[in-house]
Amino acid sequence: MPRAAPAPKPRPSPKTDSAPAGTPDAAAPEAAQVSIEGIARDLATAIVEKRLPPGTWLREEALGRIYSVSRTKVRAALVMLAKDRLIETIPDKGSFVSRPSVQEAREVFAVRRILESEVVRLFVAQAGRAEYQLLEQHIRFERTTLNSATGRVQEKLLGDFHVALAEAAGNRTLAQLVQEMVARSSLIAMLYHSSNDPHCSSGEHAAFLRVCRSGDAEAAVACMVDHLNRIESSLELDSERADRQLDLVKALLA
């Protein structure tokens, strides 16, 4: 499954629209270094960081120019993203960044409550000093970064705490599922205009970790569920909003 990296890797320079129609897709020397997984990961990062809003049309030709690869490679990368439901492919129309419905948004948070409750139980049962130190370091980074970070970076940073917690719990498959749900939550937050206060979320992360240290797993689960409930309640789920599409090249290279 494509995993959004902490920071986007350098990308190939996009070709201009004035390039001859017969120019081969793989003409750039660095094209051989661009893997299908790398393209999928790069796009996943752009989606999670809100550079590609819900509904954005992912044009194969434009992506081929950006990454200097064939449309076959682009299609394969899009298939990977579709499996994680970050994008949807509509026959005879193309691929678009997913636009979760209100029902799906509620279902995603319901699933997160189930998954992350089990993550918390596993974490409290087996986490050692190193795991706690890793999460405390993440919280310190949140506190020093939130004031200067943009909204999209704040969202990703706060979501990364949940992924890091799942990884620290020691179940890799469970961590992958949490990562997918966090990525989809980012799409939902974009579409339904979350009013979540990032400083509040970071404070709740710190309070949650203190409860975990007490060894009371069920109290820690209740703390996490309350946290997720508050995040869901910050969404405007009474109506769906239309987001403007961004220029693909500008969005990916922002």
Side-chain angles (χ1 to χ4, degrees), residues 127-142:
R129 181 178 178 181
E131 286 74 25
Y132 277 101
Q133 286 180 337
L134 180 66
L135 292 176
E136 287 168 348
Q137 181 181 3
H138 186 96
I139 291 171
R140 286 195 296 272
F141 184 65
E142 286 178 356

Side-chain angles (χ1 to χ4, degrees), residues 4-77:
K9 297 181 179 179
R11 307 178 181 93
S13 298
K15 297 178 184 178
T16 64
D17 289 338
S18 59
T23 302
D25 286 329
E30 65 266 41
Q33 301 174 9
V34 183
S35 67
I36 292 170
E37 292 78 8
I39 296 170
R41 184 170 54 247
D42 207 38
L43 289 172
T45 299
I47 291 170
V48 170
E49 290 185 350
K50 300 186 178 182
R51 286 181 282 126
L52 292 176
T56 301
W57 179 21
L58 300 176
R59 293 179 289 121
E60 292 180 4
E61 181 182 359
L63 288 169
R65 290 185 177 185
I66 289 170
Y67 294 103
S68 298
V69 298
S70 68
R71 292 179 69 172
T72 300
K73 260 192 172 182
V74 169
R75 288 192 194 104

Side-chain angles (χ1 to χ4, degrees), residues 90-130:
I90 303 175
D92 300 322
K93 290 188 177 180
S95 296
F96 303 82
V97 177
S98 294
R99 293 179 59 90
S101 65
V102 169
Q103 178 64 25
E104 184 177 352
R106 296 193 185 281
E107 288 174 356
V108 165
F109 276 92
V111 170
R112 284 192 64 178
R113 283 187 285 270
I114 295 169
L115 290 177
E116 297 192 49
S117 291
E118 185 58 27
V119 163
V120 171
R121 292 187 181 97
L122 289 173
F123 178 79
V124 173
Q126 63 189 37
R129 181 178 178 181

Side-chain angles (χ1 to χ4, degrees), residues 1-5 40-41 43-50 52 54 81 84-87 97-98 100 104 108-109 112 116 155-156 158-160 162-163 175-191:
M1 116 181 231
R3 178 170 178 172
R41 184 170 54 247
L43 289 172
T45 299
I47 291 170
V48 170
E49 290 185 350
K50 300 186 178 182
L52 292 176
L81 293 171
D84 289 337
R85 301 190 67 180
L86 289 179
I87 71 168
V97 177
S98 294
E104 184 177 352
V108 165
F109 276 92
R112 284 192 64 178
E116 297 192 49
E155 181 92 19
K156 183 177 185 302
L158 295 171
D160 283 347
H162 293 259
V163 177
Q176 289 176 336
L177 292 172
V178 169
Q179 183 181 356
E180 178 185 339
M181 290 297 103
V182 167
R184 289 172 67 184
S185 295
S186 181
L187 275 175
I188 291 166
M190 272 190 280
L191 186 58

